[in-house]
Amino acid sequence: MSIQTFINICYFVAAMLFIIGLKRMSSPATARGGIVWAGVGMVIAVVATVFTPGLENLTWIIAAVVVATALAWYSGKKVAMTDMPQMVALYNGMGGGSAAAIGAVALIAAANGTASHPMTGFYMALALLGSLIGAIAFSGSMIAFAKLQGWMDRRFTFPGQQVFNLLVFAATVAVGVWLFFTSSSLSITLILVFFALAILVGLLMTLPIGGADMPVVISLYNAFTGLAVAFEGFVLQNEAMIIAGMVVGAAGTLLTQLMAKAMNRSIANVLFGSFGTGGGGEAQSIAGAMKAVDASDAAVMIAYAERVVIVPGYGLAVAQAQHKIWELTQQLLKRGVKVRFAIHPVAGRMPGHMNVLLAEAGVPYDLIADMDDINPEFAQTDVSIVIGANDVVNPVAKTDPASPIYGMPILDVDQSKNVIIVKRGKGTGFAGIENALFYKDNAKMLYGDGQEVASKLIAELKALD
Amino acid sequence: MIDGIVALYIFMLAAFTGYEIIGRVPVILHTPLMSGSNFVHGIVVVGAMVALGHATTDLERVIGFLGVVLGAGNAAGGYVVTERMLEMFKSSKPGPKKGGH
C-alpha cells in the first residue's frame, strides 16, 4: 500500500467521523460526544497530511499549524460565553480566507506553469468560484466580527450604495470570467486584482447590515465557507474537503433558512433589505411616557404574583446576569410563583444563544418556553420581566407598517397585566428602533445593569420574608 | 483521480447528507450546531497544508502560509468554542426535571 493510499483512507475515516459527529451534535443527549468524534477526525486528517509524498516547506507548514492552533485554542478558551457569536464569525472568516488562499496558490501556480494538473475547464471554474465565495466569507465574517465586538458602527450606508455594490460585484465576476477564458496565459496581477475585488465585495455586502440580522449573516457565511472548501477540495482532489465542505454548505444553508424564517425575513431581505429603510413613510410616533419603578416595588409585584414570565435578551448576556436571574427564579419558585422563561427564536445574537446561557446557569429545560408555546399565556401572566431584550418584544412589529421590524413575530409581553423592563438606559435596541412597549400603561422601567437589578430583587425578596 | 461527473455525484450526496443532519434539530442546538459545522469546515487546513507544500515561488509560499494559519485557526478555534458550548448540556438531561443541578 502506498503512502498516498493510506492518506486517502485517513481522509475517508475523517469524513465519516465528521458526519457522525455532526449527526450526534444535532440531538441534545449526544451533542457533547459529537464534537469529540469530529475532533478525532480532524486530528487524523491533519497528521496524515504531514506525510503526503513530495511535500516541501514542511517546517513552515508545521510552524503555521502549531502557532495558529495554540493562538486560536487560547483565544477560544479565554473568551466569555457571551462573546461566542463573534468568535464563531471570526473562526469562520479564517476558514473562508484559507479556502481563498488555496485557490490563489492554485491559480498562481497555474500562471507560473507549475500546477500539478492542468487548470482548465471544471478545475478552473471551481478554483475561481471557491476563491470568490471564500474571499467573501472571509471579509464578510470579519466585518460581522467587528460589528458584534462593538468595534464598528452598526450600519454603514451611503446614497447609491446598492448600485455601487452591484458594479463592484459585476466587475469581480467579469475579471473571474476573463481569467477563466485566459487560463492558458494567466496574469498574476489580474489574479491578485480578482482577489482584492472579491474581498471588497464581502466588505461592501456586510457593512450596511444591521446588528439584529447578524446571526443570519454569520450562518450564511458559514455555508459559504463550506462551499468554498468543497470547491477548492475538488481543485486539490481532496475527498475529505469535498465531503466535509459540501455537508457544511448544505447544513449551513438550511440553518440559515431556519433562522431567517424565525425572524420572518427572507435571506435576500436580510442582505439587501437595509437599503429600503422600512416600507416607506414616517414611523408612527409613540404616545405616552416611560414610568420608572424601583427595585423594592418591583420585588413586591413579583413576590405576590401567580405567574411570572422572564424574557431574556442580549442585554442579559452582556450583563452576565444569567446566574443571578436563576437565583431570583429559585426564590420565586420557593414562594410558589409559577415562573417560566420565554425565549424568542432570535433572542441574543444567535438562535439558541439564550438557551445556552440559561443552561450554563443551570435553568432546567421545562421552565424554558418557545415563542409559540408562551404567547397564548401572556394574557394570564401577572408580571413579565423583560431583561435586556428590546426588538423582540416591540409591539411596533405588529402595528406600524413603516417600521423596519414590521412583520417580525414578537413575544406578546404587552398583553400581560404588568411588564417590568430591566434596562441600563433609555436608548433604543440593536435595530435602533423606538420601543412602543416602554410607553404602555402597564409597563414600568427598572433602570440598571441586569446583574445588579437581579441582586437587588433577590435582597428585597428575602427581606419580605 | 476524481473527474467532473464523479465530483458532481459526491457534491450531491454530501449536500443531501448535510440537509438530513440539520432537519428537525431543536432550536436549542442551533448555535452549537452552527459552531460545530464551522469546526468541520476547518478541514480546509489540510488543503492549505498541501498547497503550501507544493508552493514553488515566494508569493505562493506567503499566501500558502497564510492559508495554513487561517485554516488551523478555524479548526482549533471552532473546536474549543463548540466544546465549551456543548459542555453546558452535561448536567441537564432531556425531559422534565425540576430543581436545576
Side-chain angles (χ1 to χ4, degrees):
Chain A
M1 187 165 64
S2 74
I3 289 191
Q4 191 58 54
T5 310
F6 180 71
I7 293 171
N8 287 345
I9 292 172
C10 288
Y11 286 161
F12 175 79
V13 171
M16 196 169 67
L17 289 173
F18 288 154
I19 294 173
I20 295 172
L22 277 175
K23 184 71 206 159
R24 293 182 78 85
M25 271 186 259
S26 62
S27 154
T30 55
R32 285 187 74 216
I35 183 67
V36 180
W37 284 72
V40 170
M42 189 69 74
V43 172
I44 291 174
V46 170
V47 172
T49 305
V50 174
F51 298 100
T52 306
L55 217 57
E56 285 162 49
N57 312 318
L58 204 58
T59 323
W60 286 106
I61 293 176
I62 292 172
V65 170
V66 170
V67 171
T69 302
L71 282 178
W73 196 275
Y74 177 72
S75 65
K77 280 271 183 221
K78 205 186 57 153
V79 70
M81 214 51 221
T82 43
D83 293 339
M84 288 293 165
Q86 54 262 49
M87 295 315 280
V88 174
L90 178 68
Y91 298 138
N92 175 53
M94 293 172 84
S98 185
I102 293 171
V105 172
L107 290 168
I108 294 168
N112 289 332
T114 55
S116 49
H117 52 76
M119 285 288 280
T120 49
F122 206 41
Y123 283 99
M124 190 66 188
L126 286 190
L128 288 166
L129 204 56
S131 301
L132 174 64
I133 299 172
I136 291 175
F138 168 69
S139 54
S141 296
M142 291 304 161
I143 298 288
F145 168 77
K147 286 193 179 198
L148 289 177
Q149 190 75 7
W151 289 353
M152 213 171 192
D153 242 352
R154 284 157 189 188
R155 276 159 99 179
F156 176 82
T157 46
F158 55 84
Q161 191 169 18
Q162 206 159 9
V163 177
F164 181 74
N165 290 2
L166 199 67
L167 285 176
V168 174
F169 183 69
T172 315
V173 172
V175 174
V177 170
W178 179 263
L179 287 171
F180 179 77
F181 284 111
T182 58
S183 56
S184 51
S185 57
L186 286 168
S187 140
I188 291 185
T189 319
L190 209 57
I191 292 171
L192 295 179
V193 168
F194 175 68
F195 279 91
L197 281 171
I199 288 173
L200 188 62
V201 169
L203 292 178
L204 290 171
M205 229 171 102
T206 322
L207 278 172
I209 299 173
D213 287 332
M214 271 313 146
V216 181
V217 173
I218 296 173
S219 177
L220 182 70
Y221 288 146
N222 188 40
F224 272 23
T225 305
L227 284 181
V229 170
F231 293 165
E232 298 304 340
F234 177 76
V235 173
L236 294 171
Q237 295 282 297
N238 183 313
E239 292 87 349
M241 279 173 71
I242 298 180
I243 292 170
M246 210 62 204
V247 167
V248 173
T253 307
L254 183 55
L255 208 52
T256 312
Q257 280 170 352
L258 289 175
M259 289 184 194
K261 210 172 127 198
M263 297 168 78
N264 197 25
R265 306 193 61 168
S266 68
I267 294 169
N269 200 318
V270 169
L271 290 177
F272 310 113
S274 54
F275 296 102
T277 329
E282 287 291 300
Q284 289 167 11
S285 61
I286 297 162
M290 291 197 211
K291 298 158 291 294
V293 67
D294 61 23
S296 55
D297 289 341
V300 173
M301 277 166 74
I302 54 176
Y304 296 101
E306 206 175 308
R307 287 168 187 274
V308 170
V309 174
I310 299 176
V311 182
Y314 187 64
L316 172 118
V318 172
Q320 300 275 1
Q322 63 269 34
H323 299 279
K324 281 286 168 201
I325 292 298
W326 172 228
E327 211 182 317
L328 174 68
T329 307
Q330 284 170 309
Q331 287 285 329
L332 290 171
L333 289 171
K334 223 164 55 185
R335 299 180 141 264
V337 182
K338 292 200 183 77
V339 187
R340 293 189 82 185
F341 288 86
I343 312 256
H344 191 275
V346 294
R349 286 294 172 267
M350 289 207 270
H353 191 194
M354 285 301 124
N355 304 69
V356 169
L357 289 179
L358 292 178
E360 184 197 13
V363 178
Y365 280 120
D366 55 334
L367 293 190
I368 300 176
D370 288 343
M371 180 172 68
D372 294 334
D373 293 331
I374 200 83
N375 262 348
E377 289 187 20
F378 277 113
Q380 288 96 48
T381 300
D382 299 300
V383 186
S384 292
I385 310 176
V386 179
I387 301 170
N390 194 334
D391 299 324
V392 297
V393 294
N394 193 343
V396 159
K398 289 189 163 172
T399 55
D400 184 0
S403 169
I405 61 166
Y406 182 70
M408 181 174 94
I410 56 159
L411 290 163
D412 299 323
V413 277
D414 57 324
Q415 288 172 14
S416 50
K417 287 175 195 119
N418 292 285
V419 186
I420 298 173
I421 299 123
V422 179
K423 210 169 172 308
R424 269 185 301 186
K426 291 186 180 176
T428 53
F430 213 71
I433 305 153
E434 199 65 62
N435 194 331
L437 173 71
F438 302 167
Y439 299 90
K440 293 246 172 188
D441 290 336
N442 57 349
K444 297 189 175 56
M445 310 296 293
L446 180 49
Y447 291 113
D449 169 82
Q451 186 163 316
E452 255 174 54
V453 167
S455 306
K456 270 191 218 158
L457 286 175
I458 293 166
E460 295 286 350
L461 278 181
K462 283 184 178 155
L464 284 175
D465 289 325
Chain B
M1 200 67 180
I2 318 164
D3 66 10
I5 198 75
V6 175
L8 285 180
Y9 274 109
I10 300 179
F11 284 157
M12 177 192 71
L13 292 172
F16 276 111
T17 307
Y19 219 74
E20 272 307 305
I21 286 172
I22 301 291
R24 296 182 309 277
V25 64
V27 174
I28 187 164
L29 282 172
H30 277 180
T31 295
L33 204 54
M34 178 154 113
S35 179
S37 59
N38 176 39
F39 163 68
V40 166
H41 66 51
I43 187 68
V44 70
V45 65
V46 164
M49 288 165 75
V50 173
L52 174 55
H54 293 151
T56 48
T57 63
D58 282 342
L59 182 60
E60 288 169 48
R61 280 190 201 101
V62 169
I63 298 175
F65 182 79
L66 270 177
V68 179
V69 168
L70 292 172
N74 179 183
Y79 184 86
V80 174
V81 168
T82 311
E83 198 205 18
R84 282 185 59 193
M85 279 185 198
L86 292 173
E87 186 88 349
M88 293 164 191
F89 291 96
K90 71 178 157 200
S91 59
S92 18
K93 294 261 176 296
K97 182 172 147 238
K98 280 260 162 173
H101 299 284

